[in-house]
Amino acid sequence: MDTVEKIVEDFASDIAMSPFSSGTRLRDMIRAIRACKTAAEERAVVRRECAAIRTAISENEPELRHRNMAKLMFIHMLGYPTHFAQMECLKLIAAAGYPEKRVGYLGLMLLLDERQEVLMLVTNSLKQDLNHPNQFIVGLALCALGNICSAEMARDLSPEVERLMRSREVNTKKKAALCSIRIVRKVPDLAENFMALAASLLKEKHHGVLISAIQLCTELCKASKDALEYLRKNCIEGLVRILRDVSNSSYAPEYDVSGIADPFLHIRVLKLMRILGQGDADCSEYMNDILAQVATKTESNKNAGNAILYECVQTIMGIEATSGLRVLAINILGRFLSNRDNNIRYVALNMLMRAIAVDVLAVQRHRTTILECVKDADASIRKRALELVFLLVNDTNVKPLTKELIDYLSIADPDFKGDLTEKLCSIVEKFSQEKLWYLDQMIKVLSLAGNHVKDDVCHALIVVLSNGSELQGYSVRSLYKALQAYGKQGSLVRVAVWCIGEYGEMLVNNVGMLDGEEPVMVTESGAVDAVEIALNRHSADATTGAMCLVALLKLSSRFPSTSERVKQIVARNKENVVLELQQRSIEFSSIIQRHQSIRSSLLERMPVLDEASYLVKRATATQATISADKLAPTVAPGGLKLPNGVAKPTSAPLADLLDLSSDGAPASTTTSTTTPNGFLQDLLGIGGVSTGTTGVPSIASTDILMDLLSIGSSPSQNGTPGQAESKPVHAVPEAIDLLGSLSSTTSVSGLEKTVHPSITAFQSATLKITFDFKRQPGNPRETTIHATFTNLTSSTYTDFIFQAAVPKFIQLKLDPASGNTVPANGNGSVTQGLNVTNNQQGQKPLAMRIRMSYKVNGEDRLEQGQVSNFPSGL
């Protein structure tokens, strides 16, 4: 018996001393967990501690409840499940004492969220604590409600929060205002209940209450337009007073930050001012004086002052400020660019990019400083400054800016050369007014960073060279000299070798000398030497090697004396490991040896490349790669702006417009007839127009597409599609019959020309698009649409691009737009022509998916929709 009693006593003693019993303190558990050397040991400690806590919960030990909850919160932060103790939080909250409630509410905020059903059980406890006479318990309830309240709890407890916002206790008012922010976010319909209360709190003196009230006002503006209008009428004067008082206040140690009185309140007030003043001229005018005072009086030698100045600049740019105030704001950003802090310079560059749309001349005054930022040691600042310089370039400053950037290109970091080269090429192509200047700059770029120049830039240069007959001699000489000095630049080698092959005789004979140009002494053998060196140096590059072999073959025809030498050089590549070069070498050797009679005619100079068609082709490829998240302006050589809405050869953008990305429609194996916009038939991803033995198009693919477009129109069931298609396409009686139901007709050369009423094809809060229609005489299937784009906002749209997609039975051709900038407030518009051919006119109506992309203050915007309200008969 004594032995049994001794065993029980020892067991009880062990339990009391065990570090994993429910009676251990939080610090002991933390110490035990930190002593673990492996994850398995940690899991074992947590598992034992959780088991002890479960035992304590089942035995209902109230004296250990708060200690266990503290442990569970730590275990929860380590990532272990603690759902088994959720009810313990509610028991602690229901306790009478403040310490228990504090732990309970803390556990409630950590262990639960608004999706937990258990949370509904705490609503009554929260309501009781919100009416508790102890302000500290009220504060606990407000904190918990502001962190985890659901929509149902917000509706139930909103009256209590409104009552507490009228409390005399400063801390209670502050916490009630913060709690109401959560309520407004969860239930925007309750915003009207807090508008007057928020406005009244702006009259308080305590800065904590003011910041909370301003945050609430900001949230109310986002939640309700009525609240926005109410606060514009009732809060502007109070905000101006607050900002003036805090700006002129004397030293107060409780609010002072680096010698500036409460910068946090400054910034909150400025942010709310920006929201209230945006698009409202009266409010903006009332703010102008205080904003000018803050911008001029705030010290910029402290980080807190710089934060206030930056927020002030953002507010000035966001409201309808005067031009003088905007210039003051841009000058502040110019001072930021001279700051030694990289963060300040970066945000200044970001803000200047947005300011260009507002006042480009004021930004131009800081061009020199911005150029210095391009040469900064920080990579992010260099890149942002380069983008800003690109936006600053115009016809008047393009030459000095280009010279500065090219001079820096020679010493730029290799990682930065790619971006710098791309921007330089875009600038030169977009703003070149003279071909000679364009050629000089491109040759410099190729010489300094030829390995970073893209192939399409080289192709564009070759097209310009082909069309500039008066500059071909000068170009080949300049490229030859550059090739001698910078022979390792791949793109330079390709362009130079092509020119030497085409215009080698001009190089040797110094044909087409310009005024002031020094002649270059090059022999026929010297021209072949230059190409041979390039071939040997770049033998691993199949493209460069192939161009070198072609150039050598052409030189053998231009310079007969070098024919034998060229034959030997070409023959050396017959065993080249690169299959392309091996094949060319064998074929070219055959031409030199066996086809002397046709070699001269075979190797004549290439015909002049069509520059206009190349620009259109390049535009299609460029716009096809533009993503919806990042749209950039597209330019072409010679200053030619590329047209908006040019057809795209890849499927991603238009297939996305038609919402075909998730459909698995089978593709037809037959090939459709190529049309001016035949790429659409490939882009739709449903297959070409399949034909039967009678050559009649199948309706299967069009039915699928019509279903995708949800326009519910199907071919007539009274006759076969073949019968419908067998009528002559251009028969006048059929055209007149199809148009017979239309009331407005005018006779044109014996045919019926119909003008349909205009429609609003698309309208949102920011953009309106109208379509005007005109039927082409003699072809009832073809319709000309005149699209007009109108900006309904107060901000100008830049880089505007219109894209459209149609079903397979419709052919679409987009003409260039009248511009890419849509003026604000409907003060002008952009127009664009569309030619539409409905191959199933009379059977299926027109349908079109449209997408508009543009920039507002440097930020990309995207809108899209479907046009299905076309007039009948089209």
Side-chain angles (χ1 to χ4, degrees):
M1 191 68 180
D2 293 339
T3 305
V4 172
E5 290 178 352
K6 187 175 185 305
I7 291 173
V8 171
E9 289 176 359
D10 292 340
F11 182 73
S13 176
D14 291 340
I15 292 177
M17 297 301 292
S18 172
F20 305 115
S21 67
S22 62
T24 56
R25 294 178 298 176
L26 174 64
R27 68 177 64 182
D28 296 329
M29 186 193 74
I30 294 174
R31 189 178 293 113
I33 290 175
R34 288 181 175 174
C36 298
K37 297 181 179 180
T38 64
E41 289 182 18
E42 179 184 299
R43 287 194 296 269
V45 171
V46 172
R47 188 164 53 249
R48 288 193 291 267
E49 188 62 48
C50 287
I53 293 174
R54 283 193 184 94
T55 302
I57 292 173
S58 62
E59 293 175 357
N60 195 16
E61 299 177 359
E63 65 278 1
L64 297 177
R65 187 170 289 148
H66 66 284
R67 181 181 295 178
N68 291 336
M69 184 54 59
K71 295 179 188 177
L72 284 170
M73 284 187 280
F74 183 80
I75 292 171
H76 174 76
M77 288 187 289
L78 292 177
Y80 295 98
T82 56
H83 56 278
F84 60 88
Q86 290 176 348
M87 293 301 297
E88 294 297 290
C89 295
L90 305 187
K91 293 177 182 178
L92 285 170
I93 291 172
Y98 174 77
E100 290 80 5
K101 284 183 178 292
R102 183 177 62 175
V103 176
Y105 276 119
L106 182 59
L108 182 75
M109 290 183 283
L110 279 177
L111 305 183
L112 283 80
D113 58 47
E114 61 180 279
R115 296 168 295 179
Q116 301 286 342
E117 295 181 0
V118 180
L119 199 62
M120 298 181 64
L121 303 176
V122 83
T123 303
N124 190 49
S125 297
L126 280 169
K127 190 168 186 176
Q128 292 177 359
D129 288 343
L130 289 174
N131 293 287
H132 201 280
N134 187 334
Q135 62 165 318
F136 300 108
I137 292 178
V138 174
L140 290 175
L142 286 171
C143 285
L145 188 62
N147 275 281
I148 62 169
C149 86
S150 60
E152 293 78 9
M153 293 175 66
R155 291 189 182 93
D156 294 339
L157 301 175
S158 175
E160 276 71 23
V161 177
E162 294 176 37
R163 178 181 57 79
L164 291 172
M165 289 179 69
R166 301 185 183 92
S167 172
R168 293 183 178 181
E169 296 292 338
V170 172
N171 287 331
T172 301
K173 281 193 287 190
K174 178 179 68 173
K175 292 183 178 182
L178 293 173
C179 181
S180 61
I181 294 174
R182 172 88 177 194
I183 293 175
V184 171
R185 286 176 182 169
K186 290 297 174 184
V187 189
D189 295 341
L190 295 176
E192 60 183 11
N193 299 342
F194 294 96
M195 293 189 300
L197 291 169
S200 65
L201 288 180
L202 294 178
K203 299 176 183 178
E204 295 286 335
K205 298 295 184 182
H206 191 274
H207 287 202
V209 177
L210 287 176
I211 290 178
S212 303
I214 291 168
Q215 282 287 86
L216 175 57
C217 291
T218 303
E219 196 63 37
L220 289 171
C221 292
K222 297 177 183 178
S224 168
K225 289 185 178 180
D226 294 336
L228 177 61
E229 293 301 325
Y230 177 87
L231 294 175
R232 278 174 174 167
K233 294 177 182 178
N234 297 278
C235 292
I236 291 295
E237 185 177 350
L239 290 173
V240 171
R241 175 187 55 79
I242 293 170
L243 193 55
R244 183 179 292 113
D245 290 345
V246 72
S247 298
N248 299 328
S249 63
S250 58
Y251 173 76
E254 65 268 27
Y255 300 130
D256 182 80
V257 177
S258 301
I260 296 175
D262 205 342
F264 303 102
L265 182 58
H266 270 97
I267 290 171
R268 293 297 181 189
V269 173
L270 289 169
K271 283 184 176 180
L272 182 55
M273 279 184 164
R274 181 164 73 249
I275 295 173
L276 297 178
Q278 189 171 12
D280 191 303
D282 294 334
C283 289
S284 301
E285 184 178 359
Y286 198 84
M287 301 174 190
N288 282 338
D289 292 341
I290 187 62
L291 290 175
Q293 179 182 336
V294 172
T296 52
K297 290 185 63 176
T298 305
E299 297 180 5
S300 59
N301 56 351
K302 300 289 185 180
N303 202 40
N306 288 326
I308 295 173
L309 287 173
Y310 177 71
E311 200 62 45
C312 185
V313 170
Q314 279 197 309
T315 301
I316 292 171
M317 291 300 175
I319 67 173
E320 308 298 320
T322 61
S323 59
L325 195 57
R326 285 177 173 168
V327 170
L328 175 61
I330 293 173
N331 289 339
I332 291 173
L333 296 176
R335 293 204 309 269
F336 280 0
L337 294 179
S338 302
N339 198 296
R340 290 181 295 178
D341 191 324
N342 288 347
N343 295 324
I344 293 175
R345 280 187 290 166
Y346 186 82
V347 297
L349 290 169
N350 267 341
M351 195 65 203
L352 284 171
M353 291 184 70
R354 295 166 54 189
I356 284 179
V358 178
D359 193 343
V360 66
L361 293 178
V363 181
Q364 287 280 7
R365 297 190 187 102
H366 304 280
R367 192 174 65 228
T368 305
T369 311
I370 296 169
L371 267 175
E372 290 301 317
C373 291
V374 176
K375 306 171 185 177
D376 195 88
D378 188 276
S380 58
I381 291 178
R382 285 201 307 261
K383 190 171 183 178
R384 186 62 69 195
L386 181 61
E387 293 173 358
L388 182 54
V389 169
F390 181 75
L391 296 176
L392 287 176
V393 177
N394 55 37
D395 293 330
T396 59
N397 62 22
V398 59
K399 291 187 177 180
L401 278 178
T402 304
K403 182 180 183 302
E404 289 279 350
L405 292 176
I406 289 179
D407 290 344
Y408 176 63
L409 184 61
S410 60
I411 59 173
D413 291 342
D415 295 338
F416 185 56
K417 272 192 176 182
D419 293 333
L420 182 57
T421 302
E422 182 181 358
K423 293 297 183 185
L424 265 172
C425 293
S426 298
I427 291 171
V428 173
E429 290 177 350
K430 183 176 182 179
F431 296 99
S432 60
Q433 300 173 351
E434 306 167 355
K435 283 191 175 182
L436 179 59
W437 182 82
Y438 168 78
L439 291 172
D440 285 339
Q441 306 313 308
M442 291 305 301
I443 291 173
K444 289 178 182 177
V445 173
L446 289 171
S447 301
L448 296 174
N451 292 328
H452 300 278
V453 177
K454 295 182 179 179
D455 289 343
D456 61 334
V457 176
C458 298
H459 296 163
L461 177 58
I462 288 174
V463 171
V464 173
L465 287 171
S466 174
N467 284 269
S469 57
E470 71 283 0
L471 295 174
Q472 288 170 352
Y474 170 78
S475 301
V476 70
R477 286 187 292 274
S478 299
L479 286 167
Y480 176 81
K481 289 187 286 187
L483 183 62
Q484 299 298 311
Y486 305 97
K488 294 183 180 180
Q489 303 293 342
S491 296
L492 171 67
V493 171
R494 286 192 284 274
V495 176
V497 163
W498 183 88
C499 276
I500 292 173
E502 293 295 320
Y503 315 118
E505 68 279 10
M506 292 185 173
L507 173 64
V508 173
N509 300 322
N510 285 317
V511 176
M513 294 286 294
L514 300 182
D515 295 339
E517 182 188 357
E518 296 183 1
V520 179
M521 303 304 297
V522 182
T523 62
E524 296 178 354
S525 179
V528 174
D529 288 340
V531 179
E532 182 183 10
I533 292 172
L535 176 62
N536 294 334
R537 181 175 290 169
H538 299 274
S539 58
D541 186 348
T543 302
T544 305
M547 294 182 73
C548 290
L549 289 175
V550 173
L552 287 170
L553 182 63
K554 290 199 170 188
L555 289 177
S556 70
S557 176
R558 308 277 193 277
F559 310 140
S561 61
T562 63
S563 180
E564 189 61 31
R565 182 184 171 193
V566 168
K567 175 183 173 182
Q568 296 174 0
I569 297 172
V570 171
R572 286 202 295 266
N573 287 275
K574 286 184 177 181
E575 298 178 357
N576 198 302
V577 294
V578 180
L579 184 61
E580 174 72 15
L581 300 183
Q582 183 184 125
Q583 181 178 351
R584 285 177 181 266
S585 178
I586 294 172
E587 293 172 352
F588 293 173
S589 296
S590 178
I591 291 173
I592 295 173
Q593 293 176 3
R594 304 177 185 176
H595 303 285
Q596 294 289 339
S597 58
I598 64 171
R599 185 171 64 166
S600 58
S601 58
L602 183 65
L603 302 177
E604 287 181 355
R605 186 177 297 174
M606 284 184 63
V608 176
L609 302 173
D610 188 351
E611 190 169 4
S613 62
Y614 171 76
L615 295 181
V616 173
K617 181 179 178 182
R618 187 181 179 195
T620 62
T622 302
Q623 289 195 353
T625 58
I626 295 177
S627 66
D629 295 328
K630 186 176 182 181
L631 292 167
T634 313
V635 296
L640 176 64
K641 305 289 189 301
L642 297 183
N644 282 338
V646 177
K648 286 162 286 300
T650 60
S651 60
L654 287 178
D656 181 61
L657 270 176
L658 289 171
D659 294 332
L660 300 179
S661 58
S662 61
D663 294 311
S668 172
T669 56
T670 59
T671 304
S672 60
T673 305
T674 303
T675 63
N677 282 292
F679 64 93
L680 275 175
Q681 299 181 0
D682 298 327
L683 287 172
L684 299 182
I686 300 178
V689 179
S690 59
T691 58
T693 56
T694 60
V696 180
S698 170
I699 64 172
S701 61
T702 54
D703 284 343
I704 295 172
L705 185 56
M706 300 301 284
D707 182 64
L708 284 170
L709 291 173
S710 301
I711 56 181
S713 178
S714 60
S716 173
Q717 301 300 320
N718 297 328
T720 63
Q723 292 171 343
E725 287 292 331
S726 62
K727 297 179 181 180
V729 175
H730 300 290
V732 176
E734 180 190 5
I736 297 174
D737 181 65
L738 287 172
L739 299 173
S741 61
L742 302 175
S743 58
S744 176
T745 59
T746 56
S747 177
V748 180
S749 303
L751 299 174
E752 297 296 324
K753 179 180 178 181
T754 305
V755 179
H756 293 272
S758 302
I759 66 168
T760 299
F762 176 86
Q763 184 165 359
S764 65
T766 57
L767 183 66
K768 180 180 180 181
I769 304 175
T770 57
F771 281 0
D772 298 312
F773 304 92
K774 188 177 293 183
R775 181 67 62 81
Q776 295 299 324
N779 188 358
R781 299 169 182 255
E782 186 174 348
T783 305
T784 300
I785 302 176
H786 183 79
T788 304
F789 309 95
T790 306
N791 182 355
L792 303 180
T793 68
S794 59
S795 301
T796 301
Y797 296 165
T798 58
D799 298 346
F800 184 85
I801 295 178
F802 171 73
Q803 298 172 317
V806 293
K808 280 189 174 182
F809 61 86
I810 298 173
Q811 296 176 8
L812 173 66
K813 180 181 179 182
L814 277 71
D815 296 331
S818 60
N820 63 353
T821 300
V822 189
N825 298 318
N827 298 327
S829 58
V830 171
T831 59
Q832 187 165 2
L834 297 83
N835 292 320
V836 180
T837 302
N838 186 354
N839 293 320
Q840 296 192 23
Q841 192 264 342
Q843 300 178 34
K844 294 187 178 182
L846 288 181
M848 185 181 296
R849 299 278 289 185
I850 59 176
R851 178 162 65 181
M852 293 68 63
S853 57
Y854 51 90
K855 290 185 178 180
V856 180
N857 297 328
E859 296 182 3
D860 294 329
R861 301 288 176 85
L862 181 70
E863 296 189 56
Q864 60 185 12
Q866 178 173 319
V867 185
S868 56
N869 59 334
F870 287 101
S872 60
L874 293 181

